[in-house]
Amino acid sequence: MGRMQDMVAIVTGAASGIGAAAAQRLVEEGASVLLVDRSEENLERVAAGLDGNVDIAAADISDRGQVDDYTRRAVERFGGLDAVLLNAGIFGDMAPVDAYDEKRFDEVISVNVKGTWHGLRAAVPHLRNRGGGSIVVTSSTQGLSAYFHSSPYTASKHAVVGIAKNAAMDLARDNIRVNTVHPGIIDTRMMGELHETASPQDPDAAMTAFATSIPMGRYGRPAEIADLMLFLASNDSSYCTGGTFVADGGLTAFHGGPIPD
Ligand SMILES: NC(=O)c1ccc[n+]([C@@H]2O[C@H](COP(=O)([O-])OP(=O)(O)OC[C@H]3O[C@@H](n4cnc5c(N)ncnc54)[C@H](O)[C@@H]3O)[C@@H](O)[C@H]2O)c1
């Protein structure tokens, strides 16, 4: 029997990268999954590759009404809700803190912070109806430490840790667990865009430079984050709440400096 047998899950940001890998992993373990993303075309492509009980909902997670709609849709379509993976997010621009564009700052906060809060808030009554459940929030290693030229992203990924920890307190007696996942540098479209921004002439050089800075010497794969998300979404993590779960090839344990051969 699968680790998510007869369970219903929502995955946001499911049209790409980590979210698509997580949706696949949950489906493999028997969950019925609603895949949510703002890109309907990519959602259809990902859903077509999944062998299981799935549906899609095109929505912008920063819009409260759309979040309420997709949450209701999962419950109506599959008969309840057991796990929510609040994973959709954007990186924003790269610029020093004193030169960052205010509109972009607001956009990153609106999607990453407000979007997570909307998703969490909308899911709670449905999880309560089932006698409990799991909320998994995708933060980042930038929710624990910082990188350069990305102040709103770092702020947003720290903020969701606060929301998740507080929600874990508020919901503990309802048997609703809330945890954050902190991926390091993962090979997805988001990192591809960052390579282009950081080194427009030679994006591959940016990738090599990032990989060299990781103690394990390589990027993570989306499936490696999906496995951690599966653990947190399933009853395997029945005593975990308010936790911060890192999967980063040693990045946050490393204080920086040249890495010996
Ligand atoms: N790739 C990494 O190195 C890395 C590291 C740490 C954390 N993360 C986090 O992991 C999560 C997934 O990122 P990814 O690397 O898979 O990137 P990705 O760009 O491949 O996927 C993100 C998905 O989120 C969707 N999305 C963005 N804004 C949305 C919105 N307003 N409403 C609905 N959907 C929206 C996009 O359409 C996209 O399909 C993000 O929260 C990201 O911050 C990524």
Side-chain angles (χ1 to χ4, degrees), residues 13 15-18 37-38 59-61 87-90 111 138-140 153 157 183-186 188-191:
S16 174
I18 294 169
D37 204 285
R38 63 182 169 191
D60 178 346
I61 62 158
N87 166 78
I90 55 173
V111 173
T138 306
S139 176
S140 165
Y153 186 75
K157 293 300 183 178
I185 304 177
I186 312 302
T188 69
R189 191 184 56 189
M190 182 179 280
M191 279 310 296

Side-chain angles (χ1 to χ4, degrees), residues 128-203:
R128 243 187 223 127
N129 282 345
R130 295 281 252 209
S134 173
I135 299 172
V136 183
V137 174
T138 306
S139 176
S140 165
T141 43
Q142 279 188 250
L144 302 169
S145 56
Y147 183 58
F148 298 84
H149 294 182
S150 43
S151 49
Y153 186 75
T154 302
S156 72
K157 293 300 183 178
H158 277 72
V160 295
V161 176
I163 291 173
K165 283 187 176 173
N166 214 119
M169 300 302 103
D170 296 348
L171 303 170
R173 300 294 172 99
D174 292 318
N175 197 31
I176 299 172
R177 296 173 289 108
V178 191
N179 293 286
T180 50
V181 169
H182 300 262
I185 304 177
I186 312 302
D187 191 7
T188 69
R189 191 184 56 189
M190 182 179 280
M191 279 310 296
E193 286 170 6
L194 211 130
H195 300 149
E196 299 274 351
T197 312
S199 176
Q201 313 301 334
D202 189 1

